[in-house]
Amino acid sequence: MSPESISLGVLTDMTGPFKGSSVFRIRGYELYLDTVNKRGGVCGRRIELKQKDHAYDVQKALDGYFELEPQVLGFIDVAGQPMTAAIEPDLMQTRALTVPGSWAASLLGNPHMMIVGTTYDLDIINGLDYYKRRGLLTTGDTIGHVHLRGNFGDNALEGSRFVAENWNMKVSEQAVTETTANLTEQITALKTAGAKVLALSLTPPQTAAAVGIAAQLGWQVPILSSAVSYDPAIMESPVAPVFAKQVLLTSPVAPWSADVEGVRELRAGYQERWPGEPGTLNTVHGYTVAMAYVAVLEKACAKKDLTRDGVLRAFHDTNSIKAKGLTGELRFSLVGRPSATQSYMSRPDKSVPGTLKVEENLFESELVKLKGTRAR
């Protein structure tokens, strides 16, 4: 940090399996920070980004982190569970406020981690509630769930298990890793198990493959996926019609097409900067994260303490950020609890800018409230 600027780190995957989401998320950061800088920045300082690509490789992430850490006040983006885990011990020492590219509930206990929005388990609960309210899930049914081993998939699976436990259902589980390319065995097993809904917590390429395999098997099951598993490029692929028909995406932030104040503002600024090019849900995610991070920096500025410790204190004291519909109202002051608990439901639709059409605005299942009560 200098008298003229505040630098924030971006350590993300620009050339690996999640590159499709990273580029658009960074555009969201840039757009919001441009707005902040035009009105004078924070404490009279411009906010700038310093970026490193780790290509979803832990060693590259460590190298990039140790290069960036002395140059930045905090990290607005650290993408990838293995990368986050690798740098977490050092973050505890350096006390840099960090936003992981993740909504894993396991990160909530780290006082240096800012999780902006609903965690994966609550997202899945809200999505399965959507299917139950429409009569597609009922008592005694089986939920099929294919998940990545690790913070993302394991946490999402917790949501399916919690639903099954409380609604007298069963879960048939299939675990894979990021390197699993052929999912035929897993999808076939869940079809054989008679799953009434198929939940997917995978990488975007694996999600496309899983949906395609279900179609090849003639399995017209309702499919629920976390938005982090979706890449708009899927809607240019041969499986696009199946996605449009069978897949529901649940997300902590609004899709690009949402008719809410925050997204309308974002779209207007985006079209001015990148005319004729639509953004994505990941752009909204980046914009939302930047808004939350800046709110914390402004709180630290008001306390006249823009040190790392001052920023952390401001973060822990933040009990309400009105998000203009980008996500639910954010509260970071509840230790160990998600900052928001509502989810958007969307359908892939190639004709809609951003390829996602809002099916249901911010919604919170009664089960989510119950889970929160049990957590206390």
Side-chain angles (χ1 to χ4, degrees):
M1 188 168 68
S2 75
E4 295 80 32
S5 66
I6 296 170
S7 295
L8 300 177
V10 175
L11 185 62
T12 193
D13 174 15
M14 299 180 200
T15 52
F18 293 97
K19 62 183 178 183
S21 59
S22 296
V23 171
F24 282 100
R25 194 165 62 248
I26 290 168
R27 286 190 173 186
Y29 303 145
E30 291 174 342
L31 198 60
Y32 190 83
L33 295 180
D34 279 352
T35 303
V36 172
N37 289 335
K38 284 175 183 173
R39 68 177 188 234
V42 173
C43 273
R45 295 174 170 91
R46 287 181 52 80
I47 303 180
E48 59 185 25
L49 300 178
K50 290 185 180 290
Q51 304 176 31
K52 284 289 176 182
D53 172 26
H54 61 50
Y56 213 78
D57 178 274
V58 171
Q59 189 56 52
K60 287 182 180 177
L62 283 168
D63 292 344
Y65 168 75
F66 286 116
E67 182 178 340
L68 285 177
E69 186 273 324
Q71 305 176 42
V72 301
L73 177 61
F75 287 85
I76 199 170
D77 189 327
V78 175
Q81 184 270 329
M83 298 77 207
T84 304
I87 69 171
E88 195 169 0
D90 195 73
L91 282 176
M92 297 294 283
Q93 300 297 319
T94 59
R95 302 179 63 77
L97 179 61
T98 298
V99 184
S102 168
W103 289 282
S106 59
L107 298 172
L108 293 172
N110 186 322
H112 306 84
M113 293 283 183
M114 175 190 281
I115 317 298
V116 182
T118 310
T119 49
Y120 296 124
D121 53 339
L122 305 189
D123 241 4
I124 290 294
I125 293 170
N126 287 335
L128 291 173
D129 192 305
Y130 174 95
Y131 280 133
K132 181 174 182 284
R133 284 178 284 127
R134 282 152 183 79
L136 297 172
L137 263 182
T138 191
T139 301
D141 281 350
T142 295
I143 301 162
H145 200 136
V146 188
H147 74 287
L148 285 172
R149 291 189 178 94
N151 281 8
F152 163 39
D154 293 349
N155 186 211
L157 180 62
E158 287 176 27
S160 289
R161 288 175 174 172
F162 193 78
V163 165
E165 173 191 340
N166 286 277
W167 287 342
N168 193 23
M169 298 176 185
K170 298 181 284 292
V171 182
S172 184
E173 306 171 10
Q174 294 287 324
V176 299
T177 69
E178 280 99 343
T179 59
T180 306
N182 190 333
L183 297 165
T184 302
E185 179 183 337
Q186 290 81 7
I187 300 301
T188 301
L190 296 181
K191 182 175 186 287
T192 303
K196 297 296 185 183
V197 169
L198 172 61
L200 302 175
S201 306
L202 304 166
T203 68
Q206 287 173 324
T207 303
V211 172
I213 291 163
Q216 290 168 9
L217 296 173
W219 192 23
Q220 298 184 8
V221 64
I223 299 173
L224 178 68
S225 175
S226 302
V228 71
S229 300
Y230 175 75
D231 184 339
I234 288 171
M235 297 311 286
E236 299 295 333
S237 74
V239 295
V242 188
F243 265 79
K245 183 179 179 183
Q246 290 176 234
V247 176
L248 179 75
L249 292 166
T250 179
S251 64
V253 298
W256 180 256
S257 63
D259 187 20
V260 294
E261 181 184 358
V263 183
R264 288 194 297 268
E265 289 179 1
L266 165 57
R267 284 197 302 258
Y270 192 93
Q271 290 307 319
E272 184 177 332
R273 182 160 176 180
W274 293 286
E277 182 182 331
T280 70
L281 180 143
N282 294 297
T283 317
V284 181
H285 179 205
Y287 194 82
T288 307
V289 165
M291 177 196 67
Y293 209 109
V294 167
V296 170
L297 292 179
E298 289 175 337
K299 196 177 185 74
C301 172
K303 297 280 189 180
K304 296 181 171 53
D305 189 356
L306 272 171
T307 64
R308 285 182 174 176
D309 280 339
V311 171
L312 282 176
R313 279 192 290 271
F315 169 56
H316 297 142
D317 288 343
T318 300
N319 56 21
S320 177
I321 298 175
K322 305 295 185 185
K324 300 182 179 180
L326 293 161
T327 188
E329 182 178 357
L330 295 168
R331 295 179 175 87
F332 297 115
S333 56
L334 300 175
V335 178
R337 299 290 307 281
S339 60
T341 53
Q342 298 170 298
S343 303
Y344 275 95
M345 308 296 155
S346 307
R347 295 276 185 192
D349 187 333
K350 188 177 178 180
S351 69
V352 173
T355 75
L356 291 178
K357 182 178 181 180
V358 176
E359 188 84 3
E360 185 172 65
N361 283 317
L362 286 168
F363 169 80
E364 180 183 16
S365 169
E366 289 299 317
L367 269 194
V368 165
K369 297 174 185 174
L370 175 64
K371 197 172 194 294
T373 302
R374 290 188 183 178
R376 282 198 288 269

